């Protein structure tokens, strides 16, 4: 089974801090994603990467950046955390280039981030 | 842009009964893919069932089946013989083919299965 591991289940950070959310997958998937999950809004794509050092902006990239130095690892960075970034963050991966019907998303367990 | 609407924020069902979760979507595309994902309290989202729009036959996976009405742009999920382990958030999702990063999710329906 594919395993997507997010390094922290819960995080509490202060406004203005630089925050790193780490995600590792163990199935050699090309694609990795960061989503943000908020009540009433579902999941929204922050960033997407289809290869090492490659990244694309999703719907809500403002205030975030990403890093993919190795194929298995995709990091989400909050350059200066703000209270409106308090949310659940989900990492996902999939096989192949881009999303496809036959290669569904595999998700991690999520990181619940609170910014105070 | 495609939008996905789940009009039922919360639902409950008695164990062993059947429940249907609603999902509608808006698109001008003729071919696309639809998905239902489940997020249990453990938080890990898993794929429940998927449907290709050009296939008229409704998808079925064990106790889970869909009612896909293309003209009405409706994609409901039916859970038969509900089990306590079905308690979760359920998300409907839409994806165009050949689009490499765009999967649209609904807001979710929280389903509680009562003993």
């Amino acid at each position: 089974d594919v395993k997507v591991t997010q390094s922290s289940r819960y995080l509490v950070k202060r406004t203005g801090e630089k925050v790193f959310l780490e995600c590792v997958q163990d199935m050699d998937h090309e694609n990795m994603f960061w989503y943000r999950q908020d009540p009433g809004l579902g999941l929204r794509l922050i960033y997407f990467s289809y290869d090492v050092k490659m990244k694309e902006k999703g719907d809500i990239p403002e205030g975030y950046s990403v890093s993919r130095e190795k194929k298995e690892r995709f990091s989400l960075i909050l350059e200066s955390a703000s209270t409106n970034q308090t949310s659940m963050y989900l990492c996902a991966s999939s096989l192949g280039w881009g999303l496809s019907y036959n290669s569904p998303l595999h998700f991690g367990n999520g990181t619940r981030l609170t910014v105070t | 842009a495609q939008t996905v609407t789940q009009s039922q924020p919360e639902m409950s069902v008695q164990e062993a009964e059947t429940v249907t979760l609603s999902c509608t979507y808006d698109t001008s595309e003729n071919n696309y893919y639809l998905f239902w994902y489940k997020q249990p309290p453990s938080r890990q989202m898993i794929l429940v069932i998927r449907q290709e729009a050009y296939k008229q036959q409704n998808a079925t996976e064990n106790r889970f089946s869909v009612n896909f009405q293309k003209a009405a742009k409706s994609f409901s999920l039916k859970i038969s013989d509900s089990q306590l382990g079905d308690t979760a958030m359920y998300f409907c999702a839409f994806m165009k083919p050949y689009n490499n990063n765009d999967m649209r999710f609904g807001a979710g329906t929280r389903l509680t299965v009562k003993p």
Side-chain angles (χ1 to χ4, degrees):
Chain A
D1 278 352
V2 176
K3 190 162 186 182
V4 179
T5 303
Q6 294 184 231
S7 56
S8 302
R9 193 161 174 84
Y10 297 95
L11 271 181
V12 180
K13 297 292 181 181
R14 294 192 180 275
T15 302
E17 278 191 79
K18 190 169 186 176
V19 182
F20 293 86
L21 302 183
E22 307 287 346
C23 175
V24 176
Q25 50 96 3
D26 66 357
M27 282 301 290
D28 203 34
H29 282 176
E30 287 80 6
N31 308 306
M32 296 190 75
F33 306 80
W34 275 106
Y35 287 92
R36 173 174 169 160
Q37 180 181 352
D38 297 291
L41 296 177
L43 277 69
R44 293 177 291 166
L45 182 64
I46 305 172
Y47 267 98
F48 157 65
S49 170
Y50 55 88
D51 201 351
V52 175
K53 297 190 185 295
M54 305 302 288
K55 61 184 179 184
E56 287 190 15
K57 293 179 180 179
D59 295 322
I60 52 167
E62 296 78 19
Y64 304 95
S65 62
V66 290
S67 172
R68 194 166 180 200
E69 296 296 321
K70 294 184 178 181
K71 191 175 185 179
E72 68 271 17
R73 185 181 297 271
F74 192 36
S75 303
L76 180 69
I77 304 157
L78 286 66
E79 296 290 343
S80 177
S82 63
T83 54
N84 63 13
Q85 292 178 310
T86 292
S87 186
M88 173 78 80
Y89 291 88
L90 294 174
C91 177
S93 71
S94 71
L95 187 64
W97 192 83
L99 290 169
S100 77
Y101 180 80
N102 292 315
S103 180
L105 289 168
H106 295 267
F107 285 88
N109 284 352
T111 296
R112 189 174 296 281
L113 173 67
T114 301
V115 182
T116 60
Chain B
Q2 284 67 228
T3 58
V4 179
T5 301
Q6 293 179 248
S7 58
Q8 306 149 314
E10 293 189 18
M11 294 189 71
S12 64
V13 63
Q14 291 296 131
E15 198 174 5
E17 293 187 349
T18 295
V19 64
T20 299
L21 309 184
S22 300
C23 173
T24 59
Y25 55 92
D26 181 28
T27 185
S28 57
E29 302 287 333
N30 189 48
N31 193 23
Y32 46 86
Y33 306 132
L34 296 162
F35 305 84
W36 278 99
Y37 279 87
K38 169 185 176 181
Q39 185 182 42
S42 67
R43 294 196 215 153
Q44 185 166 30
M45 297 220 353
I46 56 174
L47 178 65
V48 175
I49 198 165
R50 50 189 159 176
Q51 174 86 36
E52 297 176 79
Y54 69 86
K55 288 188 176 179
Q56 293 187 346
Q57 186 172 4
N58 289 324
T60 299
E61 291 284 346
N62 300 314
R63 297 183 294 107
F64 297 88
S65 61
V66 298
N67 183 5
F68 174 48
Q69 301 288 331
K70 191 172 184 179
K73 297 180 183 177
S74 171
F75 184 61
S76 60
L77 174 70
K78 186 172 84 170
I79 306 174
S80 304
D81 186 25
S82 296
Q83 301 176 0
L84 296 178
D86 295 333
T87 292
M89 282 287 287
Y90 288 83
F91 292 94
C92 178
F94 171 102
M95 189 179 83
K96 290 191 292 185
Y98 315 120
N99 187 310
N100 66 0
N101 66 354
D102 194 5
M103 181 174 281
R104 297 286 163 174
F105 289 85
T109 296
R110 183 176 302 279
L111 176 68
T112 301
V113 179
K114 298 179 178 179

